Amino acid sequence: MLAVSAGAPNNGRGETTTTPVKKARVRGQWYPYVSAQAFRRWLRETMTAMGMVPSPTERVGKAQGKAQKANTSADPIRFADDDLFGYMKAGAKSADEATTLRDTPFMVGTFMSVEPARPTEDFGVMSRGIPEPVLHAHEFYTADLAAPFLLDLPRVGTFTLPDKGGAGRPNYLSADAAMNVAQAVSMGAEAITFRGQPAIRLPLPERRERVALLLEALAELTGGAKKALHYGDRTPALVAMVPMAGGVNPLGFVIDGAADGSGLQVRGTALREELRAWQGQWEAPVRLGWRPGFLERARKEVEHDLADLIDDGGLSIDHPRSMLRGLAEEIRTGQHDTWFDDPAR
């Protein structure tokens, strides 16, 4: 959950002198949103500010408006962001270079407003020291935005190789290139079989560190457009996390907008039923990071409805920053190493 107050954190393409925010029309109503691409850039740049060395980016291809390409180094062994966020490096046909792909272990949805919110157009003028004023305008809005996310922990630092039939291409890395780079940086990558595919995996301490840094960056997230005019806090107002044995998200109908468009709902009874349905597939506790002052009435209802889960250790509620940083430290110190391997069936 991101709480936007009179902000314009992610803008659309303007056709006139007015800069619009990104918004979608759903059942006749306008819903502002922040794209997953924008959010992932904020997170990547926050990680860089915290000390991560980013993968260099190069723009290649033809002129603006025609076929264009922008590639990172596509080196997930040396660069944590190439590992966590994935990439596609398209090779040049003229040089007969192969296209290298990695689908992302960190997946996130669109941050859609949980209720309709028609953006306001703010008119502005630049008239300082010039005889003819320059007119401009932009949109802004107030809304709570929600998005699902998933971090596939066993995939972090694990790169499948293509077999004889070409399978494994979504995480493609040539065996020679991977092992050579790993040896060059003394990281000791090992050859394994991962989800039925030959793969190369980085040592566990490096994989722990990458996940810990991602969580710490999420706890201190910064970014967004129009900061000079609409400064706003982009750290999460609410975060819900649960370790699952598979890629199912049991929280999708627990935290979302009310059907009547009246705003955000956090449904304690829905969480209880989801946990019961997926018994044996999740590991306690479900972690809720909830900022003080944000939806206080809803928080009290959740604490009342799920008091037994809280008492039994099945649910913990803390500040988002404390929760995320605490979990990062638990991962960094090896308390959750079993999460980095697929569970035995």
Side-chain angles (χ1 to χ4, degrees), residues 22 46 63 97 161 205 228 244 255 275 305:
K22 289 184 178 178
T46 302
E97 297 176 352
L161 308 172
M244 292 287 293
I255 302 174
L275 295 179
D305 293 343

Side-chain angles (χ1 to χ4, degrees), residues 167-188:
R169 196 167 180 79
N171 306 298
Y172 173 82
L173 204 66
S174 73
D176 290 341
M179 293 304 292
N180 287 340
V181 172
Q183 292 167 3
V185 296
S186 301
M187 296 182 68

Side-chain angles (χ1 to χ4, degrees), residues 217-235:
L218 188 57
E220 303 190 18
L221 185 68
T222 60
K226 297 290 184 184
K227 299 287 275 189
L229 301 178
H230 297 290
Y231 164 74
D233 190 353
R234 297 293 169 251
T235 55

